[in-house]
């Protein structure tokens, strides 16, 4: 991290990039099973719409599935 404040726009960009089939993220399939949409609510808030119930820390859950 470069020390700049992380914004909701940064977070949404990152998740959408991971979900973009053209970018071939290794996390795309697992995220696609869990995440249906991600959107900016305000500068500091992101709304994650989930397909199913997952652990509170769903990012860790996805990464753990790949290990």
């Amino acid at each position: 991290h470069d020390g700049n404040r992380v914004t909701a726009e940064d977070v949404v960009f990152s998740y959408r990039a991971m979900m973009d089939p053209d970018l071939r993220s290794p996390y795309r399939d697992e995220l696609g099973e869990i995440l249906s949409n991600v959107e900016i609510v305000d500068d500091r808030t992101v709304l994650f719409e989930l397909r199913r119930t997952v652990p509170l820390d769903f990012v860790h859950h996805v990464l753990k599935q790949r290990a």
Side-chain angles (χ1 to χ4, degrees), residues 10-47:
D10 298 325
V11 173
V12 169
F13 174 85
S14 296
Y15 276 89
R16 287 186 178 165
M18 286 188 280
M19 299 294 293
D20 185 336
D22 294 334
L23 298 179
R24 302 173 139 199
S25 169
Y27 304 109
R28 183 180 178 276
D29 290 341
E30 288 86 355
L31 281 174
E33 291 177 10
I34 296 171
L35 189 62
S36 64
N37 190 35
V38 58
E39 62 185 64
I40 296 170
V41 175
D42 60 39
D43 288 344
R44 297 179 63 191
T45 309
V46 175
L47 175 65

Side-chain angles (χ1 to χ4, degrees), residues 30 33-36 48-58 61-62 65:
E30 288 86 355
E33 291 177 10
I34 296 171
L35 189 62
S36 64
F48 291 93
E49 294 179 22
L50 305 178
R51 297 183 189 281
R52 60 183 169 85
T53 303
V54 295
L56 182 59
D57 185 357
F58 76 93
H61 173 73
V62 169
Q65 296 297 322

